[in-house]
Amino acid sequence: MKKVVISLLAASALVTLAACGGNDDSGGSGSDSTEKVTLKFQSLAFQKTTVAATKKIVADWNAANPNIQVEYVQGSWDSVHDQLVTQFQGGTAADIIHDESADITGFANQGYLADLSPYLSQETKDAVPKGVWDTVSSDGKVFAAPTLLQSYVVFGNTTLLKKAGISTTGDSLSWDDLQADAKKLTGGGKYGLGWGLKSPTATVLNLGMNFDGTFFDGTGRDAKAKIGDAELEVPKRIHAMAYDDKSIDPTSLTQSGSDVLPGFFGGKYAMIVGGNYAAQQIVEQGPKDFQWEVLPPLKGTSEKQAANPQTLSVPAEGKHVKQAAQFIDYFMKADNLAAVGQGDWLIPTTQGARDAIAKATGGKNGWTQTLASGAELTKAPFQSVENYPKWKDQIATPALQEFLANKIDLAALGKKLSDGWGQVNG
């Protein structure tokens, strides 16, 4: 596939404050519409295209709303959780917070996030499916607006796949077929699959839903770890491909998703697995003549993956909750979500934005398969677990790293994941 210069979708037409806001008379932190305020918006966008799209949304908003100005602040996914812990405790959090649903659960339960339901427009509420709203809601309150969704997909080197006679058509790709194809593509010092799993937990838990893996029963601090055959199926399969079939390069399992791209471009790996945002990096970094494609969604007993959307929230103690929610409502407009989604190669939470991307791209460059991979995204149990971020960082990630490095067996992995929950949630 030829290297493509992505044209970001135009941001939506400028709107008035009345059009952006929900119920302006709902009380809370709302203030007179003539009051001039400046809101800090901490964005975690990191790809050039998405940063540009986000800054354009901010600029368009500022041009239309002189009394409510938004200041763009650059944040980082690597440090956002610890940063928010400090900021919430010190009362210094930004007025508009970019994060993800799995990370904000604890903050919402601790009362740090405002209920946005009185402020968001009915248009926004209707545009997002209930199952996605469930990932950011509790007890009838909405603690964030869900913006973009990530799924995990298989990217293939078109030339190598065709040479091996491997079909990439169909509505789904079974794990058994993935394993067989990877084995067929392995030989001569080259591997069928490279998989950057330096930070493996999110991948394993999301794809674990392919096999009905839940990992937790219950919610909040009362949740209990549930680690059985279904939860261990994905790491078991990856391990078997790396050390039995030898169709996954074991070195790649210690690398990041970006680290495996040079091997993909150079033909060392015929396929890689990663978040669909990696498509933007392939476009930007790949050789001009490099031909690639996105394969159909992975399927075990189902194609389900966790809907862990990126989110926009407002601090409960913020001075301008209503105005911040009005900007979020504007950000959620179809053309705006389409712009950031296309820039990040992620799936917007609204059908209107997905339709806009499909129209703008014609489904090319893997967009048909990428958008299709979002059809089975649903709320995962871990998203309602308050201490999940701590378990992920302190327990699951090192345990999975040990297993994927062939240092412990599957039984030991299960025990570490289960016992570790008691350590961080006691």
Side-chain angles (χ1 to χ4, degrees), residues 1-2 4 6 279 283 292-294 342 345 357-371:
M1 196 168 292
K2 294 182 289 185
V4 179
I6 299 297
V283 167
W292 60 279
E293 59 192 272
V294 178
Q342 191 176 342
W345 227 290
I357 289 180
K359 182 178 179 180
T361 63
K364 297 178 180 179
N365 307 319
W367 269 112
T368 294
Q369 293 82 358
T370 294
L371 293 173

Short mmCIF file of all heavy atoms in Angstrom, two decimals, residues 1-2 4 6 279 283 292-294 342 345 357-371:
data_model
loop_
_atom_site.label_atom_id
_atom_site.label_comp_id
_atom_site.label_asym_id
_atom_site.label_seq_id
_atom_site.Cartn_x
_atom_site.Cartn_y
_atom_site.Cartn_z
N MET A 1 0.84 -1.17 0.00
CA MET A 1 0.00 0.00 0.00
C MET A 1 0.88 1.23 0.00
O MET A 1 1.84 1.33 0.74
CB MET A 1 -0.87 -0.01 1.26
CG MET A 1 -2.04 0.92 1.22
SD MET A 1 -3.16 0.54 2.59
CE MET A 1 -3.76 -1.06 2.06
N LYS A 2 0.59 2.14 -0.86
CA LYS A 2 1.44 3.32 -0.98
C LYS A 2 1.34 4.17 0.27
O LYS A 2 0.32 4.25 0.93
CB LYS A 2 1.01 4.13 -2.20
CG LYS A 2 1.24 3.42 -3.51
CD LYS A 2 0.84 4.27 -4.68
CE LYS A 2 -0.66 4.43 -4.78
NZ LYS A 2 -1.08 5.15 -5.97
N VAL A 4 0.62 7.16 2.39
CA VAL A 4 -0.47 8.08 2.18
C VAL A 4 -0.28 9.31 3.05
O VAL A 4 0.12 9.21 4.19
CB VAL A 4 -1.83 7.42 2.55
CG1 VAL A 4 -2.97 8.37 2.35
CG2 VAL A 4 -2.02 6.16 1.72
N ILE A 6 -2.24 11.75 5.08
CA ILE A 6 -3.60 11.79 5.62
C ILE A 6 -4.09 13.23 5.63
O ILE A 6 -3.45 14.13 6.14
CB ILE A 6 -3.61 11.24 7.06
CG1 ILE A 6 -3.15 9.78 7.05
CG2 ILE A 6 -4.99 11.37 7.67
CD1 ILE A 6 -4.05 8.87 6.28
N ALA A 279 -1.34 2.01 12.59
CA ALA A 279 -1.46 2.26 11.15
C ALA A 279 -0.90 3.62 10.78
O ALA A 279 -0.29 3.79 9.72
CB ALA A 279 -2.92 2.15 10.73
N VAL A 283 2.10 4.35 8.09
CA VAL A 283 2.00 5.31 6.98
C VAL A 283 3.15 6.31 7.01
O VAL A 283 3.75 6.62 5.99
CB VAL A 283 0.64 6.05 7.06
CG1 VAL A 283 0.63 7.26 6.14
CG2 VAL A 283 -0.49 5.10 6.68
N TRP A 292 0.93 -3.00 2.70
CA TRP A 292 0.46 -3.56 3.96
C TRP A 292 -1.06 -3.54 3.99
O TRP A 292 -1.71 -2.87 3.19
CB TRP A 292 1.00 -2.79 5.16
CG TRP A 292 0.60 -1.34 5.17
CD1 TRP A 292 1.19 -0.31 4.46
CD2 TRP A 292 -0.48 -0.76 5.89
NE1 TRP A 292 0.53 0.87 4.70
CE2 TRP A 292 -0.50 0.63 5.57
CE3 TRP A 292 -1.44 -1.26 6.76
CZ2 TRP A 292 -1.43 1.51 6.12
CZ3 TRP A 292 -2.38 -0.38 7.30
CH2 TRP A 292 -2.37 0.99 6.98
N GLU A 293 -1.62 -4.26 4.93
CA GLU A 293 -3.07 -4.31 5.07
C GLU A 293 -3.43 -4.66 6.51
O GLU A 293 -2.60 -5.14 7.29
CB GLU A 293 -3.67 -5.33 4.11
CG GLU A 293 -3.16 -6.75 4.31
CD GLU A 293 -3.57 -7.65 3.15
OE1 GLU A 293 -4.69 -8.21 3.25
OE2 GLU A 293 -2.79 -7.80 2.18
N VAL A 294 -4.68 -4.39 6.85
CA VAL A 294 -5.23 -4.79 8.14
C VAL A 294 -6.08 -6.03 7.91
O VAL A 294 -6.97 -6.04 7.05
CB VAL A 294 -6.09 -3.67 8.76
CG1 VAL A 294 -6.69 -4.13 10.09
CG2 VAL A 294 -5.24 -2.42 8.97
N GLN A 342 -9.39 9.95 12.80
CA GLN A 342 -8.62 9.68 11.59
C GLN A 342 -7.14 9.98 11.81
O GLN A 342 -6.27 9.26 11.33
CB GLN A 342 -9.15 10.51 10.42
CG GLN A 342 -8.57 10.09 9.07
CD GLN A 342 -9.18 10.86 7.92
OE1 GLN A 342 -10.23 11.47 8.06
NE2 GLN A 342 -8.52 10.85 6.78
N TRP A 345 -5.93 7.13 13.92
CA TRP A 345 -6.32 5.83 13.39
C TRP A 345 -7.06 5.03 14.45
O TRP A 345 -6.89 3.82 14.60
CB TRP A 345 -5.11 5.06 12.87
CG TRP A 345 -5.36 4.45 11.51
CD1 TRP A 345 -6.19 3.41 11.21
CD2 TRP A 345 -4.80 4.87 10.26
NE1 TRP A 345 -6.17 3.16 9.86
CE2 TRP A 345 -5.32 4.03 9.25
CE3 TRP A 345 -3.91 5.85 9.89
CZ2 TRP A 345 -4.98 4.15 7.91
CZ3 TRP A 345 -3.56 5.98 8.56
CH2 TRP A 345 -4.09 5.13 7.58
N ILE A 357 -15.49 9.21 8.67
CA ILE A 357 -14.18 8.64 8.34
C ILE A 357 -14.30 7.70 7.15
O ILE A 357 -13.48 7.71 6.23
CB ILE A 357 -13.57 7.91 9.55
CG1 ILE A 357 -13.15 8.91 10.62
CG2 ILE A 357 -12.38 7.06 9.12
CD1 ILE A 357 -12.54 8.29 11.85
N ALA A 358 -15.33 6.84 7.18
CA ALA A 358 -15.53 5.91 6.07
C ALA A 358 -15.69 6.66 4.74
O ALA A 358 -15.15 6.25 3.70
CB ALA A 358 -16.76 5.03 6.33
N LYS A 359 -16.42 7.76 4.77
CA LYS A 359 -16.63 8.55 3.57
C LYS A 359 -15.33 9.23 3.12
O LYS A 359 -15.00 9.24 1.93
CB LYS A 359 -17.71 9.61 3.81
CG LYS A 359 -18.02 10.45 2.59
CD LYS A 359 -19.14 11.44 2.89
CE LYS A 359 -19.45 12.31 1.67
NZ LYS A 359 -20.56 13.27 1.97
N ALA A 360 -14.60 9.78 4.07
CA ALA A 360 -13.37 10.50 3.73
C ALA A 360 -12.27 9.58 3.20
O ALA A 360 -11.48 9.96 2.34
CB ALA A 360 -12.85 11.26 4.96
N THR A 361 -12.22 8.35 3.72
CA THR A 361 -11.14 7.43 3.34
C THR A 361 -11.55 6.43 2.27
O THR A 361 -10.69 5.75 1.69
CB THR A 361 -10.67 6.63 4.57
OG1 THR A 361 -11.75 5.82 5.05
CG2 THR A 361 -10.20 7.57 5.68
N GLY A 362 -12.86 6.30 2.04
CA GLY A 362 -13.32 5.27 1.11
C GLY A 362 -13.05 3.87 1.62
O GLY A 362 -13.08 2.91 0.84
N GLY A 363 -12.76 3.75 2.90
CA GLY A 363 -12.46 2.44 3.49
C GLY A 363 -11.07 1.93 3.17
O GLY A 363 -10.71 0.81 3.58
N LYS A 364 -10.27 2.74 2.47
CA LYS A 364 -8.94 2.29 2.07
C LYS A 364 -7.96 2.35 3.24
O LYS A 364 -8.25 2.88 4.29
CB LYS A 364 -8.43 3.14 0.91
CG LYS A 364 -9.28 3.03 -0.36
CD LYS A 364 -8.75 3.93 -1.46
CE LYS A 364 -9.61 3.82 -2.73
NZ LYS A 364 -9.12 4.72 -3.80
N ASN A 365 -6.76 1.79 2.99
CA ASN A 365 -5.68 1.80 3.98
C ASN A 365 -6.10 1.15 5.30
O ASN A 365 -5.72 1.59 6.38
CB ASN A 365 -5.19 3.23 4.24
CG ASN A 365 -4.81 3.95 2.96
OD1 ASN A 365 -4.21 3.35 2.08
ND2 ASN A 365 -5.21 5.19 2.84
N GLY A 366 -6.91 0.09 5.19
CA GLY A 366 -7.29 -0.67 6.36
C GLY A 366 -8.46 -0.11 7.14
O GLY A 366 -8.86 -0.70 8.16
N TRP A 367 -9.07 0.98 6.67
CA TRP A 367 -10.13 1.59 7.46
C TRP A 367 -11.38 0.72 7.54
O TRP A 367 -12.07 0.71 8.56
CB TRP A 367 -10.47 2.98 6.93
CG TRP A 367 -9.66 4.05 7.59
CD1 TRP A 367 -8.69 4.83 7.04
CD2 TRP A 367 -9.73 4.43 8.98
NE1 TRP A 367 -8.16 5.68 7.98
CE2 TRP A 367 -8.78 5.46 9.17
CE3 TRP A 367 -10.50 4.01 10.06
CZ2 TRP A 367 -8.59 6.08 10.42
CZ3 TRP A 367 -10.31 4.62 11.29
CH2 TRP A 367 -9.37 5.64 11.46
N THR A 368 -11.70 -0.02 6.48
CA THR A 368 -12.88 -0.88 6.55
C THR A 368 -12.74 -1.90 7.67
O THR A 368 -13.64 -2.10 8.49
CB THR A 368 -13.08 -1.62 5.20
OG1 THR A 368 -13.40 -0.65 4.19
CG2 THR A 368 -14.21 -2.63 5.30
N GLN A 369 -11.57 -2.55 7.74
CA GLN A 369 -11.33 -3.55 8.79
C GLN A 369 -11.20 -2.91 10.17
O GLN A 369 -11.65 -3.47 11.17
CB GLN A 369 -10.06 -4.36 8.46
CG GLN A 369 -10.18 -5.25 7.24
CD GLN A 369 -9.94 -4.49 5.94
OE1 GLN A 369 -9.73 -3.28 5.93
NE2 GLN A 369 -9.97 -5.22 4.83
N THR A 370 -10.58 -1.73 10.22
CA THR A 370 -10.42 -1.04 11.49
C THR A 370 -11.77 -0.67 12.08
O THR A 370 -12.05 -0.92 13.26
CB THR A 370 -9.55 0.22 11.32
OG1 THR A 370 -8.22 -0.17 10.97
CG2 THR A 370 -9.50 1.03 12.60
N LEU A 371 -12.63 -0.07 11.27
CA LEU A 371 -13.95 0.30 11.77
C LEU A 371 -14.77 -0.94 12.12
O LEU A 371 -15.53 -0.94 13.09
CB LEU A 371 -14.68 1.15 10.73
CG LEU A 371 -14.07 2.53 10.47
CD1 LEU A 371 -14.77 3.22 9.30
CD2 LEU A 371 -14.13 3.41 11.72
#
